[in-house]
């Protein structure tokens, strides 16, 4: 698709013969407002000389300094001799193709001169044979031109596709080569979650577009420009110059309206930003919205804020209508002027009729060519900027580690860390190791243990030499490893991690992993690793494809493959990273056996989190804050009764189940797919290396608790503006909001203040609930606002969670879409039936404007006849009359364009606004589980609200407008044709389908060459993404060259494919162009035959020829739109899929009960529950709990035990899979949903503060509350004092554009909200863990006051302080109640409760650390 100007419309060209399609595609960018009626660049002869898009883009850029870019010629830096040959051939063909239309015009003029034969003194007069011969000769010339165009089009497209693909293949492979050779610190800084790979993909596509199709397009259009001028000047220089002189007027008309449109576009962006922010907050905080039953308020606010967008949209339609009207009107009047001047030239014998017409239209074509050429500058600019980014990376120096160095003749395996100090380059201020000493004797096993943040995970990267210590040295057999050759060193080390990195290759290649090994050796290694059995049972055995593009393996199978990989490398040193941490008992046993074989006779370092697995190690080294504090055997350390003994006691007390019970008992399929990516994207505060190594992400046993406490203190400074590297929710499970993720520009204001929004969770935010290991705690998509990166954003660690299977998520949406057919035309019409008066007026305008196309062509034909004095007594009078008629059309054009655009614009805007409201209302009916799906994250839904509604408008009102305009053109052309001579009209009609095919083919070509091959590139990039996500494993096994070789193999296949595809597309494009000219030649030939057989006079015949030649562009335009409509079908379907969806928990069902009184007794009866997004993981299993009315019950438990789930079930965010939740003895499903929620007060762990005033935030609970009631609620919540101290008191804006509140202040506002609601049932997810200590006390007092009332209260508690006030305490583990009673009775029991409440968990863990 040719680039179009603002809102998709390009100022129309001067040629008055082709009504512009005023409404092109809304931009594909995520601009919140993408729909303006617009000029479709359409079939190629569609753009004006107005302000080109290139010029508009410049205005945008002036706001900020332009980004760095390479020079244009440097884009071709990687071209070789063959590429230059292809480019020269492509350029010559493009020039020939571009000049063809102008040359055709020249012969068109020669055909018109045959009218001269009507004059008695003409040489041809009365010689019909000679006349027929000349006619046929001209028809043949047009066929020759068609043949030339066919060849030129084919060569042009094929050469540019091929050279673009060849040059970018070199760029891709150089980039990848450099990328894989970077130091690890590069990946710490830029992330290893695949972004750098997706960036190369998108940047290379920009370069490819700039150096292939756009250069071809530019040369093509410049040839038209130059050719048009030359032909115009040769034919009649006076008319050519006059046409050039009137050009600026027409350009000015388009330019002025463009300036206004540009301003309005900015206004409409701002206007929609307000609505977008309301929608995004509502969806992001959906649980709070539902809990306070404020759906109606959100809908009302959204609808109100859409009104400004509507007003600006209508204004845009008005400006557009007037702008286009004047542009066209002036163009038509200018045409009349040229034809009138032509009369004088002919009368004086300075030109003939054909020359005047040719000069006029060739200059118009020339201007059009220039305008079209200018549209490519934007792509050149984008390509140059992208090239700057890529070339900069390509010129980066590669890894600084020593590729030289010595090797040891024999490796004993004595390892020594001597006084090592270390911190990561990306965070030098956080010390990881401080004066660390450790000796690992040859062939012995040493296990490293310690709390989170103790630095144990950094040992592996130092040993592998991913990093060098800041001070001190690491020795192997007495030799500093800095002096050893890196590749050799790594070949001596075997690394096995808990989540092994599998590439998207076969099992055989994954075991070889870059090493050259025979099949027997690979099989032997698999047998040693106990993997041969399961591999042989697979259908394709060792050739089975695994990884993201292949079969999903269980954790156990992946680890065995990883062990086989280590066996194959036959290392002297083994590094094991909590390998069996995520496995169930049987799998753990099998893997442990394989590991025991592997560890025989090798120096082994184990990083352990589950202490029960390392009792048999030769030595156990205990670390704390980067130092070694204890070392000895298991028994020695127990006798010492120090830190190790304490860690062991904690672990044994908690004895977490290693995984949640799964319904089907199968291993999770998607573990590697998502877990890897997730764990990789975030940087742990202390140990980025291990953040990357997924294996180090799993925590088990009691260490989980420390992590939670570590995090309690991790937000001590409220002044921190960027989201902290870890956030905690529910027991402080760390969740990570990666700061690197690019946010969507449109929501600047929203994103910038993110930290003001709840730090992480509130359950509202669901993107994560689908991915997050801990069902109790979904994460805010606002913190991770790049939809493409969803998968890399969060991870919790309490157990290997089930993230939803990649494949299942991918299938689920298409499945829903499949059930949906695209909406029928009548359904779309019904949506805008209210605007029928506007539609009627718009239709009148469009029909009149459409009919002007053939009328103008016919009038020009009459003037040409007059030039040759055919059937005319007075040429002057006749030409004057018809020129005045054309001027009249020009004037009326202004009016009808205004009618068409303004009224269809109003209709379209109202339709867009209506659909947005319908979508938003439908979204707010869905159950919370629907929002847990990745494709229904807050970001995605906001984008769909912003863009998809505009596509519905594009598919209906915009297309209807063009359809009416073009139907009118076709009808009037055929009517005039039939009246002149029905036979020629029928032949013209018969060529219509051929022209349609041609138009569609050209439209597809204009949409860009490279679409088909992009999918192949995406698959090739999977290998790369896998490599980058698992860069540590790739580097550890020196597999970089293997990856490179694989990628080159893919590129080779793509090149072969692109050669075939280039030839095919080139053929198709050339042929479509051939048909356009061939149909014209056929028409001319048939006209000649008709004249020869005296069915027509020559004058009538040529009138028909002119009429249909000029009309043919308009005839085919609606069909050229087909590809766009097809492309947008999915958006259309998705809109109605949202609108038509039946929610599983329907809030609008009015049949539910609404009892007058609520006593507040709550009972769970045999409840089984799993989250819809992860049905295989049972969160609650046969759960029973009874809470009497007015009782206060505290629920405690380890992370992931299902505490927060209880609140979600009572609020009926979800329904249990089996069993019942009863309120006052009745199943809560029998109550009206909004009534039920209105009787519950919910305080979430991460309080939700909306971006508005504090007053609005508090009365969110009850809008009719008085000022006194609101302030009283604030006093009870201990919030009145701090609110009053703010400059604007209760009218202070908070959130996005307002004051940044601390966590404690937010919490108190949330408490005030619940106090004001005064509901009989209170649900508290206590958040004091995330609050700084001094406000923790104040919040605690507020909570105590709240709990003291006689309400039924369920409290998810984290601290012992709350426990004294409660009637009953329930201790959960693994989805069941394991202990129950009062605080004192549970203390006496000395079980899990005591361990959970032990104060020492927080001791000494103030750092932002995480292993």
């Amino acid at each position: 698709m040719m680039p179009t100007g603002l809102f998709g419309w390009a100022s129309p060209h001067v040629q008055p013969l082709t009504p512009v399609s005023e409404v092109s595609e809304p931009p594909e960018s995520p601009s919140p407002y993408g729909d303006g009626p617009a000029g479709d660049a359409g079939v190629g002869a569609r753009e004006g000389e107005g302000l080109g898009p290139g010029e508009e883009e410049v205005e945008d850029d002036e706001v900020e300094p332009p980004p760095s870019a390479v020079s244009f010629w440097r884009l071709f830096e990687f071209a070789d001799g063959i590429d230059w040959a292809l480019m020269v051939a492509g350029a010559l063909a493009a020039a020939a193709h571009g000049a063809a239309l102008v040359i055709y015009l020249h012969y068109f003029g020669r055909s018109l001169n045959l009218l001269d034969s009507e004059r008695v003194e003409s040489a041809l007069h009365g010689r019909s044979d000679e006349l027929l011969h000349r006619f046929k000769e001209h028809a043949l010339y047009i066929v020759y031109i068609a043949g030339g165009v066919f060849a030129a089009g084919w060569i042009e497209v094929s050469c540019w596709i091929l050279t673009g693909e060849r040059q970018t293949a070199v760029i891709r492979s150089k980039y990848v080569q450099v990328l894989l050779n970077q130091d690890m610190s590069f990946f710490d800084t830029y992330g290893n979650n695949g972004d750098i790979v997706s960036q190369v993909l998108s940047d290379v596509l920009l370069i490819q577009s700039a150096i292939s199709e756009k250069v071809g397009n530019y040369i093509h259009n410049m040839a038209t420009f130059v050719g048009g001028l030359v032909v115009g000047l040769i034919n009649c220089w006076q008319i050519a110059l006059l046409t050039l002189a009137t050009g600026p007027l027409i350009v000015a008309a388009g330019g002025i309206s463009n300036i206004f449109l540009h301003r309005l576009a900015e206004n409409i962006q701002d206007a929609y930003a307000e609505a977008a922010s309301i929608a995004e907050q509502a969806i992001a905080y959906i649980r709070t919205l539902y809990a306070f039953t404020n759906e109606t308020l959100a809908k009302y606010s959204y609808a109100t804020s859409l009104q400004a967008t509507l007003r600006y949209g209508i204004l845009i339609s008005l400006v557009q209508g007037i702008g286009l009207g004047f542009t066209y009107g002036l163009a038509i009047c200018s045409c009349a002027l040229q034809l009138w001047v032509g009369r004088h030239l002919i009368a004086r014998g300075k030109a003939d009729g054909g020359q005047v017409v040719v000069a006029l239209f060739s200059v118009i074509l020339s201007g059009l060519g220039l305008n079209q050429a200018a549209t490519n500058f934007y792509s050149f600019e984008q390509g140059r900027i992208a090239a700057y980014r890529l070339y900069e990376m390509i010129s980066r120096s590669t890894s600084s580690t020593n590729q030289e160095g010595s090797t040891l003749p024999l490796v004993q395996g004595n390892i020594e860390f001597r006084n090592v100090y270390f911190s990561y380059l990306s965070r030098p201020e956080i010390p990881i190791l401080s004066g660390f000493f450790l000796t690992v004797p040859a062939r012995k096993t040493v296990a490293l243990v310690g709390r989170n943040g103790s630095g144990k995970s950094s040992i592996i990267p130092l040993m592998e030499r991913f990093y060098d210590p800041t001070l001190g040295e690491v020795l192997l057999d007495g030799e500093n490893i800095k002096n050893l050759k890196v590749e050799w060193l790594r070949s001596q080390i075997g690394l096995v991690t808990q989540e092994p990195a599998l590439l998207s290759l076969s099992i055989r290649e994954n075991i070889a992993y870059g090493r050259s090994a025979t099949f027997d050796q690979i099989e032997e290694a698999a047998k040693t690793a106990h993997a041969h059995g399961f591999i042989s049972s697979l259908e394709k055995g060792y050739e089975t494809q695994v990884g993201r593009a292949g079969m999903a393996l269980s954790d156990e199978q992946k680890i065995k493959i990883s062990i086989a990989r280590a066996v194959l490398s036959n290392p002297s040193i083994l590094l094991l990273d909590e390998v069996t941490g995520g496995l169930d008992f049987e799998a753990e046993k099998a893997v442990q056996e394989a590991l025991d074989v592997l560890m025989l006779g090798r120096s082994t370092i184990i990083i352990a989190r589950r202490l029960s697995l390392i009792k048999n190690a030769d030595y156990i080294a205990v670390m704390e804050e980067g130092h070694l504090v204890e070392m000895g055997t298991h028994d020695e350390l127990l006798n010492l009764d120090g830190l190790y003994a304490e860690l062991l006691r904690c672990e044994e007390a908690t004895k977490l189940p290693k995984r949640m019970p799964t319904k089907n008992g199968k291993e999770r399929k998607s573990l590697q797919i998502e877990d890897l990516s997730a764990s990789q994207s975030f940087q742990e505060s202390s140990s980025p290396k291990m953040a990357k190594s997924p294996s180090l992400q799993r925590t088990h046993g009691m260490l989980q608790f420390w992590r939670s406490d570590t995090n309690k203190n991790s937000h001590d400074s409220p002044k921190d503006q960027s989201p902290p590297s870890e956030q905690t929710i529910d027991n402080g499970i760390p969740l990570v909001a990666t700061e690197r993720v690019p946010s969507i520009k449109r929501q600047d204001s929203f994103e910038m203040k993110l930290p003001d929004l709840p730090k992480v969770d509130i359950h509202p935010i669901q993107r994560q609930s689908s991915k997050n290991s801990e069902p109790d705690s979904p994460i805010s998509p606002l913190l991770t606002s790049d939809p493409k990166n969803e998968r890399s954003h969060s991870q919790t660690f309490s157990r290997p969670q089930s993230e939803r299977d990649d494949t299942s998520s991918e299938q689920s949406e298409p499945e829903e879409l499949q059930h949906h057919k695209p909406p029928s035309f009548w359904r779309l019409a019904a949506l805008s039936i209210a605007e029928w008066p506007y539609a009627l007026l718009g239709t009148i305008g469009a029909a009149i404007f459409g009919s002007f196309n053939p009328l103008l062509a016919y009038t020009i034909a009459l003037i040409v006849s007059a030039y040759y004095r055919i059937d005319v007594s007075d040429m002057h009078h006749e030409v004057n009359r018809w020129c005045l008629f054309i001027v009249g059309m020009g004037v009326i054009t202004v009016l009808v364009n205004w009618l068409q655009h303004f009224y269809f614009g109003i209709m379209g805007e109202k339709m867009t606004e209506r659909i947005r409201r319908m979508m938003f209302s439908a979204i707010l009916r869905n159950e919370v589980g629907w929002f847990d799906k990745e494709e229904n994250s807050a970001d995605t839904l906001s984008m769909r609200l912003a863009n998809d509604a505009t596509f519905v408008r594009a598919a209906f009102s915009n297309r209807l407008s063009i359809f009416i305009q073009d139907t009118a053109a076709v009808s009037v052309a055929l009517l005039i044709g039939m009246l002149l001579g029905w036979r020629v009209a029928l032949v013209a009609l018969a060529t219509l389908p051929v022209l349609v095919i041609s138009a569609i083919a050209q439209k597809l070509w204009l949409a860009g060459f490279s679409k088909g091959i992009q999918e192949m590139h995406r698959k090739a990039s999977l290998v790369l993404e896998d490599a980058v996500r698992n860069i540590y494993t790739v580097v550890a096994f020196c597999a970089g060259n293997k990856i490179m070789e694989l990628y080159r193999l893919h590129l080779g296949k793509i090149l072969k494919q692109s050669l075939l595809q280039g030839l095919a597309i080139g053929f198709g494009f050339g042929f479509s162009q051939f048909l356009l000219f061939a149909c014209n030649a056929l028409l001319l030939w048939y006209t000649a035959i008709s004249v020869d057989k005296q069915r027509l006079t020559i004058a009538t015949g040529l009138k028909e020829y002119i009429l249909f030649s000029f009309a043919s562009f308009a005839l085919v335009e609606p069909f050229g739109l087909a590809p766009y409509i097809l492309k947008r079908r999915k958006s259309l379907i998705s809109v109605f899929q949202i609108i038509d969806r039946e929610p599983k928990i329907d809030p609008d069902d009015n049949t539910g009960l609404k009892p007058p009184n609520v006593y507040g007794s709550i009972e769970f009866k045999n409840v089984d529950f799993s989250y819809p997004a992860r049905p295989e993981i049972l969160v609650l299993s046969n759960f029973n709990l009874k809470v009497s009315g007015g009782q206060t019950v505290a629920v405690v438990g380890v992370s992931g035990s299902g505490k927060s789930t209880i609140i979600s079930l009572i609020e009926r965010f979800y329904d249990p899979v089996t069993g019942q939740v009863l309120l006052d003895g009745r199943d809560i499903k029998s109550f009206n949903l909004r009534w039920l929620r209105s009787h519950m007060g919910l305080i979430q762990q991460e309080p939700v503060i909306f971006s508005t005033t504090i007053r609005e935030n508090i009365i969110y609970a009850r809008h009719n509350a008085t000022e006194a009631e609101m302030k009283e609620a604030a006093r009870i919540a201990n919030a009145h004092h701090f609110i009053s101290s703010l400059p604007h008191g209760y009218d202070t804006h908070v959130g996005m554009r307002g004051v940044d509140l601390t966590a404690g202040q937010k919490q108190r506002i949330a408490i005030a909200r619940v106090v004001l609601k005064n509901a009989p049932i209170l649900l508290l997810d206590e958040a004091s863990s995330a609050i700084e200590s001094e406000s923790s006390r104040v919040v605690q007092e507020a909570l105590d006051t709240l709990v003291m009332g006689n309400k039924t209260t369920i409290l998810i508690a984290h601290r012992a302080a709350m426990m004294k006030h409660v009637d009953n305490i329930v201790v959960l583990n693994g989805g069941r109640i394991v202990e129950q009673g009062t605080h004192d009775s549970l203390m006496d029991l000395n079980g899990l409760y005591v361990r959970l409440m032990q104060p020492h968990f927080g001791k000494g863990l103030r750092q932002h650390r995480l292993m």
Side-chain angles (χ1 to χ4, degrees), residues 748-760:
D748 279 354
S749 50
F750 208 51
E751 309 292 54
M752 305 232 313
K753 280 284 193 184
L754 279 182
D756 307 353
L757 300 172
K759 284 212 176 60
V760 167

Side-chain angles (χ1 to χ4, degrees), residues 8 37 74 137 246 266 283 407 428 444 496 518 572 641 655 917 922 1018 1092 1148 1151 1200 1405:
R74 264 201 77 194
E137 198 177 44
T246 54
E266 286 167 359
I283 298 167
T407 59
K444 295 289 183 193
V496 182
T518 65
S572 313
D641 196 25
K655 277 297 183 218
R917 281 191 291 122
R1018 200 188 61 74
D1092 188 51
D1148 296 331
T1151 57
L1405 292 170

Side-chain angles (χ1 to χ4, degrees), residues 417-423 433-437 462 468-474 480 482:
F417 285 75
R418 193 180 286 168
N419 195 25
V420 170
Y421 286 80
F422 173 65
S423 58
L433 297 178
S434 324
F436 178 71
F437 289 87
L462 287 172
D468 286 333
T470 319
L471 284 172
E473 47 190 4
V474 182
N480 189 330
K482 281 189 185 178

